[in-house]
Amino acid sequence: MYDFEARHIIEALRSGVPSRAVGQYFSEARPRIMKEISNRLDMVCEQGKSSGMIISGKYGEGKTHLLNTVFNLAHSNNMVVSYLSLSKETPMDKLYLVYQKIIQNTYLPMRRQPGFMHELEKISANSPIANEMLLYAAKHLETDKLYYLFRSYLNTEDSDEKFLLQADLEGDFIANAPLKKIYRRIFNQTVKYNVNFTKTRHCGDYLSFMSHLFTQMGYHGWVILIDETELMGRLGKKARLNAYRNMARFLLPEKCPEATLSIFALSASYTEDVIEGKHEYENLEAVYPDEPEPARTVLNLLAGAPQLLPLTRDEINEVLYKIQDFHGRAYGWNPDLSIDTLAESTLSGGYLLRTKIRAAIEFLDQLYQYEKVGKTTISELGKEVFTEDVPSLEGF
């Protein structure tokens, strides 16, 4: 009988497309960095201490898989997780676009689909959590816009207004004038901001507000996973420097929102291709001579990011053993061959972990379908025997 969950795992590995399910079942490799990440998660859950880190690695060496493993680990710790990739539409130099993508890809613990606004709709206007969030928005943010917005959201009975205010919380910011008009209609009071809100300067308020909201909702913290960080290298000079400044909001504890852990995945070539190749330190001195921080600190973190080392032979064998097991369960057969034989089949896959995995699956596919692969044949489904390369001449 076929195991459809196992088949899903095999097909995900075969395609090379990162999968949360694969991250759940293949999580034992790289124990050193996983231990560090686990310790950071514990600090967020137990002490509310925020931090950020950067991991780097070559293409196909498992950066995205590692993020998916962290995704599952965070959910098992009752933490909210946001997962996104930087792109042309989500550039790091525009924090308001990054925030929008973060919210669109936010998963509550053990939910397969993103979204949390349905939980927000359950908060009543006079509940303890509502009062706490209004106090926080009024006293602890750079601007008090979110106080007026959230209070309006909790009290309006107009569906159109509710939609506009919810869209703002999701990153589709409404102008100040319509918000003031809505607030005046509901409470018959005039809005006067302590600082006039602009999305390019004050988007950090929304990150802080949401992180506080998640803890008040009973979750143990917020994990933000950002992939394809190396795409910052395609930005213009000043845009890259602004991107580094924005990264500080996720990496430096004194600038991070409360109870958050942010992890950036970066190509190992970024230092050589961008930081050194495009002379980022010199650019920083030229563009921001009087205010190099926090971009300089972020550049140091990028340049010094620990690189994922290739898996050891034992770690690769552990992965191959699981692949063999999942393949058998996926297609209802017993691939009774040694791990050494399967490991030898991966030599044709080059040095990348991703291609080694594909080579192993292709090897198992051929054994299953044709009962032979090169020098290896099987007389019974799943049992290996070896034949000579040159046929015997005795019969001629």
Side-chain angles (χ1 to χ4, degrees), residues 22-77:
V22 172
Q24 179 179 355
Y25 290 110
F26 290 77
S27 58
E28 290 82 5
R30 309 191 191 282
R32 181 177 299 178
I33 192 167
M34 284 306 303
K35 179 174 175 54
E36 178 183 353
I37 292 172
S38 181
N39 290 338
R40 289 181 182 241
L41 289 173
D42 290 342
M43 290 178 64
V44 174
C45 294
E46 298 169 6
Q47 305 173 36
K49 289 187 177 181
S50 298
S51 65
M53 61 186 298
I54 302 168
I55 58 171
S56 70
K58 297 177 181 178
Y59 173 79
E61 279 298 313
K63 299 186 297 298
T64 303
H65 172 73
L66 182 64
L67 294 184
N68 278 303
T69 301
V70 176
F71 193 120
N72 290 296
L73 182 59
H75 267 190
S76 67
N77 282 300

Side-chain angles (χ1 to χ4, degrees), residues 317-338:
N317 286 347
E318 180 67 25
V319 171
L320 294 177
Y321 177 81
K322 282 194 171 185
I323 290 173
Q324 181 175 324
D325 177 59
F326 274 103
H327 200 284
R329 288 160 50 192
Y331 300 104
W333 71 301
N334 179 29
D336 185 19
L337 69 161
S338 68

Side-chain angles (χ1 to χ4, degrees), residues 371-391:
E371 300 187 0
K372 62 180 180 179
V373 183
K375 297 180 181 180
T376 305
T377 63
I378 48 178
S379 56
E380 298 178 19
L381 194 60
K383 184 174 180 61
E384 65 175 346
V385 296
F386 298 96
T387 59
E388 297 178 352
D389 290 334
V390 181

Side-chain angles (χ1 to χ4, degrees), residues 82-108:
S82 298
Y83 191 125
L84 68 149
S85 297
L86 297 186
S87 65
K88 185 178 180 180
E89 293 74 27
T90 313
M92 197 66 212
D93 65 307
K94 294 180 173 60
L95 188 61
Y96 59 92
L97 293 178
V98 173
Y99 170 79
Q100 187 179 79
K101 186 65 71 171
I102 285 174
I103 298 303
Q104 289 174 1
N105 293 278
T106 293
Y107 298 77
L108 297 180

Side-chain angles (χ1 to χ4, degrees), residues 13 319 323 346 352-362:
L13 290 169
V319 171
I323 290 173
T346 68
L352 292 179
L353 178 60
R354 180 179 300 178
T355 53
K356 284 181 178 292
I357 289 173
R358 286 176 176 171
I361 293 174
E362 181 180 351

Side-chain angles (χ1 to χ4, degrees), residues 300-325:
N300 292 339
L301 292 173
L302 289 166
Q307 184 172 330
L308 296 182
L309 299 175
L311 296 184
T312 65
R313 182 175 180 178
D314 288 342
E315 288 173 334
I316 291 176
N317 286 347
E318 180 67 25
V319 171
L320 294 177
Y321 177 81
K322 282 194 171 185
I323 290 173
Q324 181 175 324
D325 177 59

Side-chain angles (χ1 to χ4, degrees), residues 187-357:
F187 301 105
N188 196 28
Q189 297 175 3
T190 301
V191 173
K192 187 176 181 180
Y193 292 161
N194 60 356
V195 176
N196 197 39
F197 177 88
T198 61
K199 66 181 181 181
T200 54
R201 296 182 58 190
H202 304 117
C203 187
D205 279 359
Y206 279 73
L207 290 167
S208 298
F209 182 85
M210 287 300 173
S211 65
H212 192 70
L213 175 65
F214 291 143
T215 58
Q216 294 302 308
M217 292 171 72
Y219 302 113
H220 292 165
W222 188 12
V223 175
I224 301 173
L225 306 173
I226 301 180
D227 205 354
E228 309 289 349
T229 306
E230 64 274 4
L231 294 182
M232 293 188 305
R234 299 182 181 179
L235 300 173
K237 177 172 66 176
K238 189 170 183 180
R240 291 197 308 274
L241 297 177
N242 287 332
Y244 304 145
R245 295 162 74 91
N246 287 335
M247 286 181 70
R249 292 184 176 273
F250 301 92
L251 291 172
L252 307 186
E254 65 274 14
K255 291 183 175 293
C256 291
E258 66 178 286
T260 60
L261 172 63
S262 300
I263 302 179
F264 290 83
L266 177 76
S267 170
S269 64
Y270 192 82
T271 297
E272 180 180 356
D273 294 344
V274 181
I275 296 179
E276 296 175 357
K278 297 186 177 182
H279 312 290
E280 294 293 64
Y281 286 101
E282 291 85 345
N283 294 335
L284 181 60
E285 289 294 331
V287 177
Y288 295 109
D290 301 322
E291 195 179 2
E293 295 295 345
R296 179 182 291 277
T297 298
V298 170
L299 275 173
N300 292 339
L301 292 173
L302 289 166
Q307 184 172 330
L308 296 182
L309 299 175
L311 296 184
T312 65
R313 182 175 180 178
D314 288 342
E315 288 173 334
I316 291 176
N317 286 347
E318 180 67 25
V319 171
L320 294 177
Y321 177 81
K322 282 194 171 185
I323 290 173
Q324 181 175 324
D325 177 59
F326 274 103
H327 200 284
R329 288 160 50 192
Y331 300 104
W333 71 301
N334 179 29
D336 185 19
L337 69 161
S338 68
I339 290 298
D340 289 340
T341 299
L342 191 57
E344 184 179 351
S345 75
T346 68
L347 297 178
S348 63
Y351 68 92
L352 292 179
L353 178 60
R354 180 179 300 178
T355 53
K356 284 181 178 292
I357 289 173

